[in-house]
Amino acid sequence: MFHRIWKAILELLGLNHNNVPPPKPRVLHSGPLHPTASSGESIKQPQVELKKKKALYEGQGFDISSEHIQDASSDLFWDDDQGVHQGPTEDQMRVIFNRPSAASVLAGAGSGKSTTLVSRVLFLRKYMDVPFETMAVFTFTKKSRYDFINKLLKEAKRWNVKLSKAGAERLVRTFHSKALQVSKDLIKPEERIFEFLGKVKPSARETRTEKAGELSNSESDKPLPPEEDAANQIEGLIRIDDESPEQLDILRDAYAKSYASDAEFRMSIATLFDYTMTTGSRPMTEDFQRQATFIDKMKKLDSDLCDHLEDRWRSQGSWPILGVTPRTKDGSRFQLNVMNTPLFANGYIEKLDIYVVLGLYDGISKKPISVGTSELKPEYDAHNKRLVLLAGCKNKIRYVRDHKDAEELRQQLEVLGGQQGLAAPLIKLRLPGEFGSKIAYLALFGFGVFAENLGLGPDKLSEQLPPDSSKVEQAAIYAVSKFFSEFYGILKSQGIVTFNQIFTRLGQGSNDLEKIGIGSLISVRHLMIDEFQDVSPLIVKFILGLHNELAQRSNGDLPPTLLCV
């Protein structure tokens, strides 16, 4: 299902490889900025190229002369305390003195990326007279931002460039922090940020008068407003994994309203619940093929293995499980079929047509033990049986991994028994393409946020569902669409916005861009991004939106530049 959505976003951005060949990135091939084969590191290229790159970032961004380069050499090259000559490599210099409006660089770990970017920033400021207030450096983690700021301040002192700590913190940010600053002309002061509910104290947003797009000296040295500073703690794409009570209340409310008002939503949840009860199948790997050659031996051991597992699970209080039938009516075990070879299940859930197979109990041993007529190695034998069943059996299977999973199965069966009388049951769901399960509203929310980061509206996913989608895929997409429709409605009624909504309103094609002050646009004129391969299509559209708006608003007099590492 994720592949279907990814294809949709490529088509949305006009990057479907079948009809629009993506532009090739500018790559530095040799030297420390490019990993060697021995480094063992594979550097991912950006998955999404910038649409209209040639039109927007056409020509030279900086008129860097040989005199500029010669003058900067006194700052770039020096002798350390041990008399060792220091300075950038040839490839690093190509980045520092890059002239084109847009460039992308492939760089491996330990290649001096941050040092090179720091030198680029200081070179532009000192020798090209580019104000710090027109530059923005985006990092993806708190640690990388902290390290970059410290290195920038240290190097600025050596370069004899005036830069305060507050100025460096305004210059080096996450996308989320910058989005809050840029959106001050768009988001009402009383509006709250969903990701901050219960975590960040509300504060009045910073207001200021902008002239010619630059801050006064005193303003540029101000500490970041609390919300912008807090946004720097968000790393990469939005993930809610430490929900506050306030956030959970809204998510539960959206789920309850969806369940109460929509019969199709209720049916979708029931379908997903049934799907969740089944352990996902696994691909037929080499391990499967290797173990499948021993399937006759497995068959001979299987009855004794089942006796052993059931005895140990029973002694730990996790077997039998109410709702799981352990034997057929004639007292025999339920059978599964792997390549025309029968293996046993430990039980059967008739309502769902799911076979239950017990796995590794607490304290299971690799040592051989005698059970009945067999000599077992319980851990190996249970593991190998799981491998062949999940890859080679066509029946629906619930593999019980441990005592926690056994307890979860028991709770799920309790819900199943009384589900008709429940309003918005608080059950765990596993959506297609995922291995783990989450509480229903968190599973729907997480998938919708994933769609948002691809630049898609999760409340409208059901309108884009391919006709050949499976029943489970249809249920997942419909449930997410309905849930987010309610979620957005609740946010609007309570004066709350999410970061992804802010990025969308600042993205390419949004009518809200005309509301952004020219000073905010100028503050991202010269943009440098570290770890660019980690950005989402939503962020790509955010960058394009601001840069296109700046180019249009300035009639081309303030062309933007972009350097992606």
Side-chain angles (χ1 to χ4, degrees):
M1 185 164 67
F2 291 133
H3 293 296
R4 296 177 187 272
I5 294 181
W6 184 247
K7 182 179 178 181
I9 186 60
L10 292 178
E11 292 173 349
L12 178 68
L13 294 178
L15 299 174
N16 187 328
H17 66 275
N18 292 326
N19 50 42
V20 181
K24 294 181 179 180
R26 200 174 276 107
V27 179
L28 303 184
H29 287 286
S30 59
L33 279 179
H34 187 71
T36 63
S38 61
S39 70
E41 179 176 1
S42 176
I43 301 299
K44 298 178 182 179
Q45 294 195 34
Q47 295 298 305
V48 179
E49 291 292 339
L50 299 179
K51 190 182 178 184
K52 297 184 179 179
K53 183 175 181 179
K54 291 182 179 180
L56 180 59
Y57 303 109
E58 189 174 18
Q60 300 293 306
F62 299 97
D63 187 15
I64 299 174
S65 66
S66 57
E67 287 77 13
H68 289 131
I69 297 174
Q70 181 63 38
D71 291 344
S73 63
S74 59
D75 290 311
L76 286 168
F77 297 94
W78 74 97
D79 293 329
D80 67 9
D81 295 337
Q82 283 75 40
V84 178
H85 196 59
Q86 302 284 332
T89 66
E90 180 181 347
D91 277 340
Q92 289 170 339
M93 288 180 66
R94 291 170 64 192
V95 178
I96 296 168
F97 301 127
N98 177 70
R99 293 181 176 88
S101 293
S104 64
V105 182
L106 295 181
S111 59
K113 292 184 296 180
S114 59
T115 300
T116 302
L117 279 178
V118 163
S119 298
R120 169 74 169 179
V121 170
L122 295 174
F123 168 74
L124 292 180
R125 176 70 196 101
K126 183 172 181 178
Y127 294 100
M128 301 306 295
D129 202 27
V130 177
F132 282 131
E133 291 79 14
T134 67
M135 293 188 232
V137 178
F138 291 150
T139 65
F140 274 82
T141 68
K142 294 180 287 186
K143 185 180 184 305
S144 62
R145 177 176 180 264
Y146 176 82
D147 292 344
F148 195 100
I149 288 173
N150 284 341
K151 188 172 291 187
L152 180 60
L153 290 171
K154 180 180 178 181
E155 286 293 287
K157 206 174 282 187
R158 192 176 66 78
W159 283 59
N160 197 26
V161 172
K162 185 179 179 181
L163 178 64
S164 67
K165 182 180 179 181
E169 290 174 346
R170 284 182 173 273
L171 172 64
V172 185
R173 305 193 188 210
T174 64
F175 286 99
H176 302 90
S177 178
K178 194 66 178 181
L180 277 187
Q181 180 199 3
V182 173
S183 67
K184 68 184 183 300
D185 302 309
L186 188 63
I187 307 301
K188 298 175 183 177
E190 65 272 15
E191 284 188 292
R192 295 174 293 160
I193 308 297
F194 177 77
E195 287 79 7
F196 289 162
L197 294 180
K199 301 177 182 180
V200 179
K201 292 181 180 180
S203 62
R205 286 197 176 80
E206 182 184 40
T207 58
R208 60 175 174 260
T209 303
E210 295 166 330
K211 295 181 179 179
E214 295 188 21
L215 304 173
S216 66
N217 290 333
S218 60
E219 189 116 21
S220 64
D221 288 334
K222 280 184 180 180
L224 287 175
E227 285 188 337
E228 292 179 28
D229 188 45
N232 282 315
Q233 305 304 307
I234 300 175
E235 299 187 347
L237 307 181
I238 287 289
R239 297 181 186 91
I240 299 294
D241 53 11
D242 59 342
E243 301 84 2
S244 70
E246 291 87 341
Q247 292 169 334
L248 290 175
D249 284 344
I250 292 175
L251 296 178
R252 280 193 292 258
D253 193 17
Y255 176 58
K257 287 184 175 179
S258 301
Y259 198 87
S261 64
D262 192 324
E264 188 171 351
F265 181 85
R266 293 193 290 272
M267 291 175 60
S268 297
I269 295 300
T271 299
L272 291 171
F273 181 67
D274 291 351
Y275 174 76
T276 301
M277 296 286 288
T278 307
T279 303
S281 61
R282 299 293 187 270
M284 291 189 177
T285 61
E286 290 184 8
D287 283 343
F288 164 78
Q289 296 176 41
R290 183 165 50 250
Q291 294 304 327
T293 62
F294 300 103
I295 198 164
D296 287 336
K297 181 181 178 181
M298 287 186 192
K299 175 185 174 183
K300 294 176 183 179
L301 296 174
D302 200 29
S303 180
D304 288 333
L305 177 63
C306 286
D307 286 339
H308 174 71
L309 292 173
E310 289 166 16
D311 179 65
R312 293 304 174 92
W313 279 87
R314 187 180 293 110
S315 69
Q316 294 180 2
S318 297
W319 186 258
I321 298 174
L322 186 64
V324 178
T325 304
R327 294 285 195 277
T328 65
K329 291 181 180 180
D330 62 8
S332 60
R333 294 189 183 279
F334 292 97
Q335 286 193 0
L336 301 167
N337 186 293
V338 181
M339 299 184 300
N340 296 320
T341 302
L343 293 176
F344 294 121
N346 298 99
Y348 179 64
I349 305 172
E350 186 175 2
K351 281 187 177 181
L352 301 175
D353 187 29
I354 293 175
Y355 293 86
V356 175
V357 178
L358 296 177
L360 309 180
Y361 54 81
D362 290 345
I364 195 168
S365 174
K366 297 178 181 178
K367 296 179 180 179
I369 60 172
S370 295
V371 178
T373 60
S374 304
E375 184 177 75
L376 301 176
K377 293 181 180 178
E379 185 171 348
Y380 288 121
D381 293 334
H383 170 77
N384 292 338
K385 180 178 179 179
R386 172 183 180 272
L387 186 68
V388 298
L389 284 179
L390 296 185
C393 182
K394 301 301 182 184
N395 301 100
K396 293 192 296 182
I397 294 172
R398 172 60 177 265
Y399 183 81
V400 183
R401 299 182 301 275
D402 50 36
H403 72 278
K404 291 183 179 178
D405 192 35
E407 176 60 19
E408 182 172 313
L409 174 57
R410 185 190 65 78
Q411 293 175 358
Q412 289 172 328
L413 290 173
E414 283 185 359
V415 172
L416 182 65
Q419 189 172 5
Q420 298 302 320
L422 289 176
L426 295 181
I427 52 179
K428 285 190 173 183
L429 297 180
R430 174 172 58 90
L431 273 59
E434 298 180 353
F435 290 114
S437 60
K438 296 180 181 178
I439 293 296
Y441 50 80
L442 293 180
L444 300 176
F445 179 67
F447 190 91
V449 169
F450 173 82
E452 283 182 322
N453 284 316
L454 291 181
L456 301 172
D459 56 331
K460 297 187 172 55
L461 284 179
S462 58
E463 300 173 8
Q464 306 173 38
L465 188 68
D468 59 342
S469 300
S470 68
K471 179 181 178 181
V472 175
E473 287 177 332
Q474 292 174 25
I477 292 299
Y478 185 84
V480 170
S481 297
K482 177 61 180 177
F483 174 84
F484 263 80
S485 179
E486 293 288 353
F487 175 65
Y488 286 152
I490 294 171
L491 294 185
K492 185 175 181 181
S493 67
Q494 297 185 21
I496 302 171
V497 295
T498 68
F499 271 108
N500 280 350
Q501 285 179 317
I502 292 174
F503 284 127
T504 299
R505 296 184 68 181
L506 296 172
Q508 185 181 30
S510 171
N511 294 329
D512 286 330
L513 284 168
E514 62 186 28
K515 302 174 186 176
I516 304 302
I518 186 64
S520 293
L521 296 172
I522 293 176
S523 73
V524 293
R525 180 185 175 191
H526 303 298
L527 184 55
M528 288 159 270
I529 306 173
D530 196 11
E531 304 295 344
F532 180 75
Q533 75 278 359
D534 291 336
V535 305
S536 67
L538 182 67
I539 297 299
V540 171
K541 295 180 74 174
F542 166 66
I543 295 167
L544 291 175
L546 296 179
H547 273 182
N548 269 312
E549 187 69 16
L550 173 62
Q552 293 174 15
R553 195 90 62 86
S554 67
N555 294 319
D557 293 335
L558 298 174
T561 69
L562 181 63
L563 178 63
C564 303
V565 179

